[in-house]
Amino acid sequence: MSLPEVVFGFGAHSGIDEGPDLLRMAEQADRDGLDLFSLSDHPYIGRRLDAYASIGFVLGRTRRLSGFANVTNLPTRPAPMLARTVTSLSALSGGRVVLGMGAGGLWDRISDMGVPRLSPSDAVDAFEEAIVLVKSLSGGGPPVTFQGHHYRVERIEPAPVAAPPVWTGSVGRKSLAATGRVADGWLPGHAADWLSERYRESRPVIDEAAAAVGRDPREIRTVFNFPGRITDRPLPATRDGDGRWIGGSAGQWAEELTGAVLEHGASGFMLFSPDHGSPDLVTLGRWAQEIAPAVREALAKESR
């Protein structure tokens, strides 16, 4: 039985005064064998660390942990420069970068930074162009000329570094379809999981768009932002009355996540605390040392 590679990560601190906490968490996660950390990207909030400066700093302090912005605020980071940023980080870190991409959500704040406001439809068009352009400006080859509606470059030399995987935070049907056509992964919004209505309605849009351009939908991984508590004892119920995951013991987590991979095609999980903030160090340690290994062991048995 062929199973996808499953990755485990966490959402990290991003406040200016939380820099030491970010480093402690990343260094512990690196030692404990986690795969990823993510930072939010809200450059209009002065009390937040810049996502890409922070990712680069953390990658320099770790050895195997990959980093990404969950998700990049594309309107404030033009695609040609974003391509240079992520290929440089990839070259310096040995490929430990994922490019999380978003079309831009908080347009009132984005426009406060002097960025021209786009309609929702135009923002998604720019988002799809940006993914294509970032990939074109990676991996070497002849100079690139790109004449899109939102991006234009003339004979720009690509970086001789492969493009990192591109995961999107798509929500609407148009952006979901763009994910199917040009991206490599999807992070369902609003902490939707595999049992949610949002997932059931959204994933087929990605799959149909991928198939329409000759792609195998299975190549587009689904990585879930997954909040919840890790308890010392099993809970009577691991989901609330609305069906949303609330947590449970390490064994309950492992059973749930293994089922998500085997039955619903999940291929990654990013842990957040129940208030969608960063987990504490104890919780992060249990995630890395108890839950992730148990899921990996269960999946290894299934694949034999």
Side-chain angles (χ1 to χ4, degrees), residues 130-205:
I131 295 173
V132 173
L133 183 54
V134 168
K135 290 187 174 187
S136 297
L137 290 173
S138 310
V144 171
T145 294
F146 183 92
Q147 297 292 332
H149 182 69
H150 299 277
Y151 293 103
R152 295 176 176 84
V153 300
E154 295 284 347
R155 297 189 58 77
I156 299 300
E157 181 184 2
V161 179
V166 178
W167 299 352
T168 78
S170 295
V171 176
R173 290 186 66 85
K174 185 173 181 178
S175 62
L176 290 165
T179 294
R181 288 189 293 269
V182 299
D184 308 299
W186 176 48
L187 299 145
H190 306 291
D193 68 34
W194 45 93
L195 299 184
S196 68
E197 183 177 356
R198 179 180 294 275
Y199 175 78
R200 291 195 300 270
E201 292 179 351
S202 298
R203 182 68 207 204
V205 178

Side-chain angles (χ1 to χ4, degrees), residues 15-301:
I16 287 281
D17 59 349
E18 295 176 314
D21 293 330
L22 167 61
L23 289 176
R24 280 192 292 270
M25 293 178 72
E27 289 169 349
Q28 175 177 304
D30 196 49
R31 291 192 301 270
D32 288 347
L34 288 179
D35 302 295
L36 291 158
F37 75 97
S38 73
L39 293 171
S40 60
D41 186 20
H42 297 290
Y44 34 76
I45 301 177
R47 61 182 179 276
R48 295 282 186 92
L49 293 163
D50 176 76
Y52 277 93
S54 303
I55 288 168
F57 192 80
V58 171
L59 291 177
R61 295 281 293 265
T62 55
R63 300 184 64 180
R64 67 179 305 276
L65 194 68
S66 296
F68 74 106
N70 191 356
V71 290
T72 301
N73 191 290
L74 177 62
T76 63
R77 300 185 187 272
M81 289 304 299
L82 182 60
R84 292 297 188 232
T85 298
V86 296
T87 53
S88 296
L89 287 173
S90 183
L92 290 167
S93 68
R96 294 186 288 126
V97 180
V98 173
L99 175 54
M101 286 282 270
L106 301 176
W107 275 98
D108 287 343
R109 298 309 313 276
I110 291 169
S111 61
D112 286 345
M113 295 192 75
V115 177
R117 184 186 290 268
L118 297 178
S119 70
S121 179
D122 283 345
V124 174
D125 290 339
F127 160 82
E128 185 166 0
E129 282 187 14
I131 295 173
V132 173
L133 183 54
V134 168
K135 290 187 174 187
S136 297
L137 290 173
S138 310
V144 171
T145 294
F146 183 92
Q147 297 292 332
H149 182 69
H150 299 277
Y151 293 103
R152 295 176 176 84
V153 300
E154 295 284 347
R155 297 189 58 77
I156 299 300
E157 181 184 2
V161 179
V166 178
W167 299 352
T168 78
S170 295
V171 176
R173 290 186 66 85
K174 185 173 181 178
S175 62
L176 290 165
T179 294
R181 288 189 293 269
V182 299
D184 308 299
W186 176 48
L187 299 145
H190 306 291
D193 68 34
W194 45 93
L195 299 184
S196 68
E197 183 177 356
R198 179 180 294 275
Y199 175 78
R200 291 195 300 270
E201 292 179 351
S202 298
R203 182 68 207 204
V205 178
I206 294 174
D207 294 347
E208 290 165 11
V213 296
R215 302 184 70 194
D216 183 348
R218 292 173 297 181
E219 294 178 358
I220 304 167
R221 65 163 69 231
T222 306
V223 179
F224 293 93
N225 291 323
F226 205 49
R229 296 182 295 121
I230 303 174
T231 59
D232 292 330
R233 297 184 180 184
L235 296 181
T238 56
R239 291 180 179 269
D240 64 18
D242 295 324
R244 295 181 71 89
W245 176 259
I246 57 176
S249 66
Q252 288 174 313
W253 276 83
E255 182 179 3
E256 183 77 16
L257 301 189
T258 301
V261 176
L262 297 176
E263 299 167 22
H264 302 284
S267 60
F269 308 96
M270 301 295 296
L271 179 68
F272 288 80
S273 69
D275 61 1
H276 304 288
S278 303
D280 59 54
L281 286 172
V282 173
T283 300
L284 186 64
R286 297 194 67 188
W287 175 245
Q289 298 169 23
E290 299 178 46
I291 296 171
V295 175
R296 288 174 172 141
E297 182 178 355
L299 294 174
K301 289 179 181 178

